[in-house]
Amino acid sequence: MGEEDYYLELCERPVHFEKANPVNCVFFDEANKQVFAVRSGGATGVVVKGPDDRNPISFRMEDKGEVKCIKFSLENKILAVQRTSKTVDFSNFIPDSSQLEYTQECKTKNANILGFCWTSSTEIVFITDQGIEFYQVLPEKRNLKLLKSQNINVNWYMYCPEGSVILLSTTVLGNVLQPFYFRAGTMSKLPKFEIELPAAPKSTKLSLSERDIAMATIYGQLYVLFLRHHSRTSNSAGAEVVLYHLPREGACKKMHILKLNRTGKFALNVVDNLVVVHHQDTETSVIFDIRLRGEFDGSVTLHHPVLPARSIQPYQIPAAGPAPVTSQSPVPCKLYSSSWIVFQPDIIISASQGYLWNLQVKLQPIVNLLPDKGRLMDFLLQRKECKMVILSVCSQMLTESDRATLPVIATVFDKLNQEYKKYLDAEQNYTMETPHKFVIAVLMEYIRSLNQFQITVQHYLHELVIRTLVQHSLFSTLHQFLQYHVLSDSKPLACLLLSLESFYPPAHQLSLDMLKRLSTANDEIVEVLLSKHQVLAALRFIRGIGGHDNISARKFLDAAKQTEDHMLFYTIFRFFEQRNQRLRGNPSFTPGEHCEEHVAFFKQVFGDQALMRPTTF
């Protein structure tokens, strides 16, 4: 297959880390999206890398035993390390702060810590087999303060940092899930819900594995995704993914079922609001879009893959080593490897190869894989980088070889304009919701604050004030702001006022006054007056500042001629003849002034005799 047949790819610049081996242990932090490579328990070094980190973090730790879990707080201020089932150790990474470790033991007696999650830069949750404990870390005091705890038997847990929700698996079967929501020092218990297992379990052992559960935000809503390997209905072969909507308020509800029509080992990602299901046996993936129309059975919506199953685009791993040595060709990456570990929303890690990739969707190949143009538009309009692809679809519909029928073109236009109307309505609602006088007041307060601290006010802030005032016809306020110098004088501001003359005629004079006050804008004032055909006014201004001996005669004669006012042209021509006589003793123009055209025009209109004769003494 060519590149145009693959609609999924691994990112070009993955995070490369030291591969896992008996000496080097690899950990992943789902909140900061960081990979930790811990050598010899940290004694010979810890290297932390993330997708956006230009410079990896490197440090050493004392080897106090096997590291079970290691994560930085948000903003990388505090490091937490779990080495035992009872305690978590902390180290400050704050400048001028103590580097000594401090330890927190879980409060619940006889409980074992399953893991921990940072919910902010100074708030952490311990998850034990007997509940959860929510702490505030006080780095300057090197201790922790218990904010809240909850006792509940826990089999396993899952954390979604995007939604700040921790999901606990409870009960003997493990299929009753208890969510907790964390925000700004508070912990809220959300309604628990039950995952419907494929069939009634025959034994009372744990039946729901964390491998079959994922949490992700899709179209701004938090969902719990359950990979059900066997359908509950006997007539439906193959596995399915069940989506439970988890709102902040109200009960969790089963909303969508994604039909996979196959069995085997699966893994889930969410990319650009698409659910991607990887199938290891066939080494292919399919994508689902819950916004596209599905089959509603009265309680849930059934969805089928948007496109035929395809492999991720083949990926070449660059040969390792210094640049001169790496002349050998890159090594093909083993896709869908059993060593791959998938994290939400879009991360694939190969610990054995030492790479972290972001999974990406390629939109252009989908254009040819989805022949229904209406459905294709519905799909593309929900994607982030869709504009150029949509333009290419519209262009393709009009070309001779792939020309679409008029009904299809009409459908595409309707879908585009339906989306455009939503955008316009949203923009209008925002404008209506925010009163313009309040907007102006807020801007003026910000400008006042900048001036108070002697910070230069950027031109665009003044421009925003002026445009808002003009848009709502508050011309008297604009006049006052300029008259009392509330808005600082500047050349860009003067030019903006000039451009507003058609809406507010006095803006022309306000602009000229501002340019005069600037005193360094004489050339701009002359240009403005000449562009308005106010040639005499420009000449008077330049005489008033004593610059008339150095100005270009041709520029003024050009402007005078454009007015088609012969008497004005005569006046300006005579002025420069008199200047020439005064400066050089001869009224004629020198060749360097390039006024031959205007001399000829003067003779044509007024005759040779009208030319000024040299004065002799």
Side-chain angles (χ1 to χ4, degrees):
M1 287 194 291
E3 273 195 31
E4 64 278 1
D5 294 311
Y6 301 102
Y7 52 78
L8 291 169
E9 65 180 354
L10 302 176
C11 65
E12 277 186 22
R13 299 181 65 185
V15 175
H16 183 38
F17 54 91
E18 187 177 348
K19 60 182 71 171
N21 57 49
V23 178
N24 185 62
C25 294
V26 175
F27 300 88
F28 180 66
D29 171 14
E30 66 277 356
N32 287 319
K33 306 289 187 279
Q34 290 171 326
V35 178
F36 286 73
V38 182
R39 291 178 58 84
S40 309
T44 54
V46 178
V47 180
V48 188
K49 291 185 176 182
D52 303 320
D53 296 342
R54 302 217 176 265
N55 300 309
I57 303 168
S58 301
F59 56 91
R60 294 179 188 275
M61 300 188 299
E62 189 180 339
D63 186 359
K64 296 182 179 179
E66 182 193 353
V67 174
K68 295 177 181 290
C69 186
I70 180 168
K71 297 175 185 176
F72 268 117
S73 67
L74 304 186
E75 300 173 15
N76 300 333
K77 289 187 174 178
I78 306 165
L79 179 72
V81 185
Q82 182 193 350
R83 296 184 176 93
T84 74
S85 60
K86 301 292 182 185
T87 61
V88 176
D89 301 322
F90 295 86
S91 300
N92 295 336
F93 275 69
I94 304 166
D96 305 323
S97 177
S98 170
Q99 300 293 311
L100 290 172
E101 274 196 0
Y102 46 105
T103 302
Q104 178 63 47
E105 187 175 359
C106 65
K107 298 285 187 184
T108 312
K109 213 171 185 180
N110 301 322
N112 294 311
I113 298 174
L114 301 177
F116 60 86
C117 303
W118 286 99
T119 58
S120 80
S121 58
T122 55
E123 289 163 358
I124 194 168
V125 183
F126 289 5
I127 300 96
T128 73
D129 55 3
Q130 294 182 32
I132 58 174
E133 301 172 2
F134 184 35
Y135 291 95
Q136 181 183 12
V137 184
L138 306 167
E140 64 283 352
K141 295 182 179 178
R142 296 179 43 248
N143 62 25
L144 280 75
K145 174 185 173 186
L146 181 66
L147 299 174
K148 200 170 183 179
S149 63
Q150 178 87 37
N151 291 332
I152 183 172
N153 287 330
V154 180
N155 301 306
W156 49 264
Y157 76 96
M158 186 166 286
Y159 179 45
C160 178
E162 287 77 20
S164 291
V165 170
I166 292 178
L167 205 59
L168 305 181
S169 162
T170 67
T171 70
V172 176
L173 297 174
N175 66 321
V176 175
L177 301 181
Q178 175 61 65
F180 288 88
Y181 171 58
F182 297 85
R183 187 185 179 196
T186 61
M187 179 177 88
S188 308
K189 188 178 181 182
L190 303 178
K192 64 184 177 183
F193 61 99
E194 186 175 337
I195 296 285
E196 293 177 357
L197 297 171
K202 293 172 184 173
S203 64
T204 54
K205 66 176 185 179
L206 189 64
S207 299
L208 182 66
S209 164
E210 62 186 298
R211 289 193 306 271
D212 297 331
I213 294 289
M215 272 197 296
T217 301
I218 307 171
Y219 291 116
Q221 300 296 315
L222 184 61
Y223 286 89
V224 175
L225 291 78
F226 168 44
L227 179 58
R228 192 155 60 192
H229 290 276
H230 303 286
S231 172
R232 288 179 65 85
T233 55
S234 56
N235 61 351
S236 175
E240 55 193 27
V241 179
V242 186
L243 269 66
Y244 293 83
H245 178 223
L246 186 58
R248 293 272 163 80
E249 295 178 5
C252 186
K253 186 182 177 186
K254 184 166 70 170
M255 299 284 287
H256 303 274
I257 294 179
L258 315 180
K259 306 296 285 185
L260 302 179
N261 302 319
R262 54 179 61 177
T263 57
K265 289 185 178 178
F266 298 96
L268 303 175
N269 275 130
V270 174
V271 184
D272 201 0
N273 294 311
L274 297 168
V275 179
V276 182
V277 184
H278 309 289
H279 189 231
Q280 191 178 26
D281 300 351
T282 59
E283 297 187 355
T284 58
S285 305
V286 288
I287 57 175
F288 294 85
D289 187 351
I290 61 172
R291 278 269 175 95
L292 292 184
R293 186 176 296 168
E295 305 160 21
F296 186 64
D297 69 357
S299 60
V300 297
T301 305
L302 304 177
H303 298 269
H304 295 280
V306 177
L307 300 163
R310 289 281 191 275
S311 166
I312 296 169
Q313 183 173 315
Y315 185 85
Q316 303 286 322
I317 294 177
V325 183
T326 59
S327 54
Q328 64 263 39
S329 57
V331 183
C333 173
K334 175 71 176 84
L335 301 176
Y336 302 91
S337 164
S338 57
S339 70
W340 276 18
I341 309 167
V342 169
F343 292 94
Q344 299 312 316
D346 61 351
I347 286 170
I348 295 173
I349 291 179
S350 174
S352 63
Q353 292 175 305
Y355 281 96
L356 178 153
W357 294 280
N358 292 94
L359 186 65
Q360 298 171 340
V361 175
K362 296 171 66 182
L363 295 183
Q364 194 62 51
I366 296 171
V367 172
N368 298 321
L369 293 171
L370 200 55
D372 182 338
K373 289 287 190 286
R375 194 168 171 80
L376 175 63
M377 276 297 151
D378 288 336
F379 177 85
L380 291 176
L381 283 165
Q382 304 300 331
R383 309 284 74 85
K384 283 178 186 169
E385 304 295 329
C386 66
K387 288 184 181 179
M388 294 309 295
V389 182
I390 287 174
L391 280 173
S392 75
V393 172
C394 294
S395 174
Q396 187 183 8
M397 287 192 312
L398 303 176
T399 56
E400 197 168 338
S401 56
D402 296 303
R403 186 171 294 159
T405 63
L406 211 52
V408 170
I409 293 171
T411 301
V412 169
F413 284 163
D414 287 348
K415 290 185 181 297
L416 282 170
N417 287 321
Q418 183 181 11
E419 205 64 28
Y420 184 43
K421 182 68 166 69
K422 286 182 195 173
Y423 167 78
L424 291 175
D425 290 345
E427 194 178 49
Q428 187 176 1
N429 288 340
Y430 174 77
T431 308
M432 289 168 65
E433 285 167 12
T434 313
H436 58 270
K437 289 188 177 178
F438 177 70
V439 170
I440 293 165
V442 169
L443 284 168
M444 295 314 299
E445 277 302 314
Y446 184 59
I447 290 170
R448 177 205 57 76
S449 178
L450 289 171
N451 286 326
Q452 181 178 327
F453 292 99
Q454 297 179 336
I455 300 170
T456 304
V457 181
Q458 296 298 318
H459 162 62
Y460 64 82
L461 288 170
H462 288 147
E463 182 178 348
L464 187 56
V465 172
I466 289 175
R467 289 195 183 279
T468 307
L469 289 168
V470 171
Q471 186 182 349
H472 296 92
S473 302
L474 298 172
F475 299 119
S476 59
T477 307
L478 172 61
H479 215 111
Q480 288 174 341
F481 279 2
L482 294 166
Q483 191 175 357
Y484 295 108
H485 309 297
V486 175
L487 302 175
S488 305
D489 293 346
S490 71
K491 288 183 185 179
L493 204 57
C495 294
L496 174 63
L497 287 170
L498 276 176
S499 70
L500 297 172
E501 187 184 3
S502 57
F503 303 100
Y504 182 50
H508 170 69
Q509 190 56 48
L510 289 169
S511 168
L512 280 180
D513 293 344
M514 183 177 289
L515 289 168
K516 285 176 185 173
R517 288 196 298 273
L518 286 168
S519 74
T520 57
N522 297 332
D523 292 343
E524 285 83 354
I525 294 173
V526 170
E527 293 295 338
V528 167
L529 290 170
L530 291 179
S531 68
K532 297 290 179 185
H533 303 305
Q534 297 180 19
V535 189
L536 279 176
L539 201 53
R540 288 192 196 103
F541 171 77
I542 210 75
R543 284 187 70 181
I545 61 169
H548 54 292
D549 284 350
N550 301 314
I551 57 173
S552 163
R554 182 182 174 182
K555 180 190 289 188
F556 279 78
L557 290 170
D558 281 343
K561 188 178 177 184
Q562 286 170 13
T563 65
E564 298 181 355
D565 181 341
H566 288 175
M567 290 314 298
L568 174 64
F569 183 81
Y570 182 92
T571 305
I572 300 299
F573 192 90
R574 183 65 78 206
F575 169 83
F576 284 105
E577 280 189 316
Q578 290 172 348
R579 184 190 74 169
N580 293 343
Q581 175 68 40
R582 178 168 51 81
L583 295 178
R584 296 196 299 270
N586 192 313
S588 301
F589 293 94
T590 62
E593 292 179 282
H594 305 293
C595 293
E596 294 82 358
E597 175 192 339
H598 298 297
V599 172
F601 179 74
F602 185 88
K603 289 178 182 178
Q604 179 189 332
V605 176
F606 302 106
D608 288 358
Q609 69 280 4
L611 287 171
M612 186 175 168
R613 304 295 172 200
T615 306
T616 54
F617 297 97

